[in-house]
Amino acid sequence: MLERKAYQRLVEWKNTSRGKTALMVEGARRVGKSTLVSQFGKQEYRSCLFIDFFQATEEVRQYFRDYRTDLDTLFLYLSTYYGVELYERDTLVVFDEVQMFPEARGLIKYLVADGRFDYIETGSLLSIRQNIQDIVIPSEEESMDLNPMDFEEFLWAMGQRQLADLIRRQFAASRPLPDGLHRRAMGLLREYMLVGGMPDPVSIYVEQRKFASVDASKRRILELYRNDVARFARGYEFKVASVLDGIPGQLSKHEKRFSLSSLGKSARMRDYEESFFWLADARIANLCFACADPSVGLSLSMEQTSLKCYMADTGLLVSLAFADSAATDENVYRAVLRGDIGLNEGMLTENIVAQMLRANGHKLFFYTQSGQKGNEERMEIDFLIIRPYADAAMKPRVSPVEVKSPRQYGTTSLDRFGAKFGKRVGVQYVIHPKQMDVKDGRVYLPLYMAFCL
């Protein structure tokens, strides 16, 4: 069983909620929701009643319809059907993939009020129309996102916990790692880029250290996503698939904003907006929106018509980029790992930083200025995040983040951004392949330290 940070968040929910709320764990298919919640139920409760609504029979579903106002009978039948003894205040009831049976989600209000057991729901695509139709979203429901494993969790899985702890300590102290450990961390980060953070590919890699079988696992996940598109994105499935397939090509460009003209000369955002929302709601993609006037409230000047679209998992992005062949040979992965063949480094590094920022709870924003109006200067900032700023008594400020894949680069956009927005700007970050450094109020972080932001 892979160790996940989210497990501790489940423990905290149990201890603070004490049965007063249910917890909804949202995440992409195959991100490990069911495994995590099942393990939590078995280890933290006397018993766990686990109902998978992807596989639940019509008989089980009918129990919920027939006995929604007779909870004694409902629990009696469910306990007998699944062969699980239920203990008041010491049983966890799990509604797995609850989007497949929204009526169960609609009962949460009454189940929580009943107070006998604790409840966790898991799901994806929870906001699309057919999954909230005819139900009232319960106010007693807390939510928690489960993202792909981040780089720190990958290091744990690879038996590198001491290295992970050292990276955090060195980040906090603004000190670089020794050169040998820096090279080791960069090598492991490249492995993480190729494997990704979906639990099944990570488990295979930890056991076998072979990329071909990892790639086969990732392709199965991508095929599952395509099947979900066909099944759930009815009426606009072609547009969703077009956007998904276009992600590697868009991220391979210097200008990484998603260009709808690549999907067709007459393509407009109003026609594709629902497709981007679908991919984000399914947790397949991470959307990054332009921010027109950066301030502590980045969402206040968000431009929804100008966006970048990243894959939620960089390992899946790699397999999607190789989708023109039925399988990717082990030697191809090894060559990419060594840097011998030109899979776009900028695409991978920017996507992995987006993935790390999302894992830490940041919404994704970027800033751009075309340089075509009057005397304005051109600039593009990859990401904007909000962080406390020591020079402003730890008040929050906008931190611009630039991601650099080559070892030689310029920072003109950061210089112009700082000059334009002045006191709004906090620490400026450059995330690059080289060692950590701090110069003139600007922090240069090696790529593997991005999970600390």
Side-chain angles (χ1 to χ4, degrees), residues 71-269:
L71 298 184
D72 289 338
T73 302
L74 174 63
F75 290 134
L76 175 64
Y77 287 0
L78 290 174
S79 173
T80 304
Y81 186 92
Y82 286 97
V84 175
E85 191 73 29
L86 305 182
Y87 302 94
E88 190 164 332
R89 300 304 320 134
D90 206 7
T91 289
L92 177 68
V93 178
V94 177
F95 293 164
D96 193 41
E97 301 294 359
V98 73
Q99 79 276 2
M100 301 302 297
F101 190 57
E103 292 167 75
R105 188 181 184 191
L107 275 181
I108 283 294
K109 176 182 180 68
Y110 308 102
L111 295 173
V112 169
D114 175 71
R116 269 177 262 192
F117 313 118
D118 286 356
Y119 298 89
I120 291 182
E121 307 156 276
T122 79
S124 54
L125 293 168
L126 290 166
S127 300
I128 62 172
R129 216 172 282 117
Q130 60 261 41
N131 289 339
I132 56 175
Q133 187 174 323
D134 301 325
I135 70 166
V136 176
I137 305 302
S139 58
E140 295 79 7
E141 186 181 273
E142 296 183 44
S143 64
M144 183 188 91
D145 282 344
L146 184 64
N147 296 297
M149 296 173 66
D150 67 15
F151 181 52
E152 188 171 26
E153 291 171 315
F154 180 78
L155 289 176
W156 295 348
M158 295 287 286
Q160 298 287 335
R161 182 178 288 273
Q162 288 179 308
L163 179 59
D165 292 344
L166 180 62
I167 290 171
R168 281 204 176 272
R169 282 199 294 270
Q170 298 300 92
F171 171 82
S174 297
R175 295 173 57 187
L177 264 65
D179 288 342
L181 293 177
H182 167 75
R183 288 191 294 272
R184 185 198 298 181
M186 284 299 299
L188 285 162
L189 181 77
R190 290 190 67 82
E191 292 177 50
Y192 174 62
M193 284 183 181
L194 298 179
V195 174
M198 302 302 278
D200 188 58
V202 172
S203 295
I204 292 171
Y205 189 70
V206 168
E207 182 179 343
Q208 302 180 13
R209 295 295 200 275
K210 292 184 178 178
F211 288 107
S213 49
V214 167
D215 184 71
S217 174
K218 292 188 293 173
R219 286 172 183 264
R220 287 192 294 270
I221 294 171
L222 288 170
E223 185 60 27
L224 177 68
Y225 291 171
R226 293 186 187 282
N227 291 338
D228 282 347
V229 170
R231 184 174 183 178
F232 294 110
R234 298 190 190 105
Y236 54 102
E237 59 267 35
F238 175 77
K239 291 179 180 177
V240 175
S242 297
V243 172
L244 176 61
D245 290 337
I247 292 175
Q250 296 289 328
L251 294 180
S252 293
K253 299 175 182 177
H254 175 72
E255 173 59 74
K256 291 180 172 57
R257 277 179 291 174
F258 203 101
S259 172
L260 288 174
S261 61
S262 66
L263 304 179
K265 292 182 179 180
S266 60
R268 297 290 182 269
M269 179 55 73

Side-chain angles (χ1 to χ4, degrees), residues 182-183 186 404-410 432-435:
H182 167 75
R183 288 191 294 272
M186 284 299 299
K404 305 294 184 181
S405 53
R407 298 189 67 83
Q408 301 298 324
Y409 54 81
H432 65 175
K434 297 188 283 187
Q435 279 277 26

Side-chain angles (χ1 to χ4, degrees), residues 205-367:
Y205 189 70
V206 168
E207 182 179 343
Q208 302 180 13
R209 295 295 200 275
K210 292 184 178 178
F211 288 107
S213 49
V214 167
D215 184 71
S217 174
K218 292 188 293 173
R219 286 172 183 264
R220 287 192 294 270
I221 294 171
L222 288 170
E223 185 60 27
L224 177 68
Y225 291 171
R226 293 186 187 282
N227 291 338
D228 282 347
V229 170
R231 184 174 183 178
F232 294 110
R234 298 190 190 105
Y236 54 102
E237 59 267 35
F238 175 77
K239 291 179 180 177
V240 175
S242 297
V243 172
L244 176 61
D245 290 337
I247 292 175
Q250 296 289 328
L251 294 180
S252 293
K253 299 175 182 177
H254 175 72
E255 173 59 74
K256 291 180 172 57
R257 277 179 291 174
F258 203 101
S259 172
L260 288 174
S261 61
S262 66
L263 304 179
K265 292 182 179 180
S266 60
R268 297 290 182 269
M269 179 55 73
R270 63 177 177 269
D271 301 319
Y272 280 84
E273 187 174 18
E274 196 167 9
S275 301
F276 286 107
F277 166 77
W278 194 97
L279 288 169
D281 191 52
R283 305 302 197 270
I284 295 171
N286 288 326
L287 302 183
C288 181
F289 292 97
C291 180
D293 187 25
S295 63
V296 170
L298 294 171
S299 297
L300 297 176
S301 62
M302 179 176 72
E303 296 182 333
Q304 290 189 302
T305 57
S306 180
L307 58 82
K308 296 188 282 188
C309 187
Y310 300 100
M311 285 293 288
D313 181 72
T314 307
L316 295 181
L317 174 65
V318 172
S319 291
L320 193 61
F322 287 135
D324 54 344
S325 58
T328 305
D329 186 77
E330 179 76 21
N331 292 328
V332 173
Y333 268 97
R334 296 287 174 185
V336 174
L337 184 67
R338 296 190 301 269
D340 292 345
I341 62 175
L343 186 63
N344 189 287
E345 290 285 329
M347 171 182 74
L348 296 182
T349 54
E350 195 165 320
N351 199 93
I352 202 76
V353 172
Q355 183 175 339
M356 290 178 176
L357 293 177
R358 282 295 294 128
N360 279 349
H362 296 288
K363 293 183 179 179
L364 300 181
F365 296 94
F366 70 99
Y367 179 78

Side-chain angles (χ1 to χ4, degrees), residues 360-416:
N360 279 349
H362 296 288
K363 293 183 179 179
L364 300 181
F365 296 94
F366 70 99
Y367 179 78
T368 185
Q369 184 172 279
S370 65
Q372 296 174 355
K373 299 177 184 177
N375 295 322
E376 75 174 14
E377 297 177 300
R378 191 184 191 288
M379 67 177 102
E380 175 120 16
I381 304 296
D382 296 323
F383 300 105
L384 303 173
I385 60 176
I386 304 300
R387 285 180 62 84
Y389 187 38
D391 289 355
M394 299 309 291
K395 293 179 181 177
R397 291 291 184 266
V398 178
S399 282
V401 179
E402 282 274 72
V403 182
K404 305 294 184 181
S405 53
R407 298 189 67 83
Q408 301 298 324
Y409 54 81
T411 58
T412 303
S413 287
L414 279 178
D415 297 335
R416 291 172 177 172

Side-chain angles (χ1 to χ4, degrees), residues 10 25 32-43 45 47-57 60 64 75 78-86 91-98 117-123:
L10 295 181
V25 180
K33 302 184 300 295
S34 303
T35 301
L36 174 70
V37 171
S38 177
Q39 181 196 28
F40 173 71
K42 291 174 182 176
Q43 293 187 0
Y45 292 84
S47 71
C48 177
L49 174 60
F50 192 95
I51 305 172
D52 179 358
F53 284 112
F54 254 114
Q55 299 180 356
T57 63
V60 169
F64 284 87
F75 290 134
L78 290 174
S79 173
T80 304
Y81 186 92
Y82 286 97
V84 175
E85 191 73 29
L86 305 182
T91 289
L92 177 68
V93 178
V94 177
F95 293 164
D96 193 41
E97 301 294 359
V98 73
F117 313 118
D118 286 356
Y119 298 89
I120 291 182
E121 307 156 276
T122 79

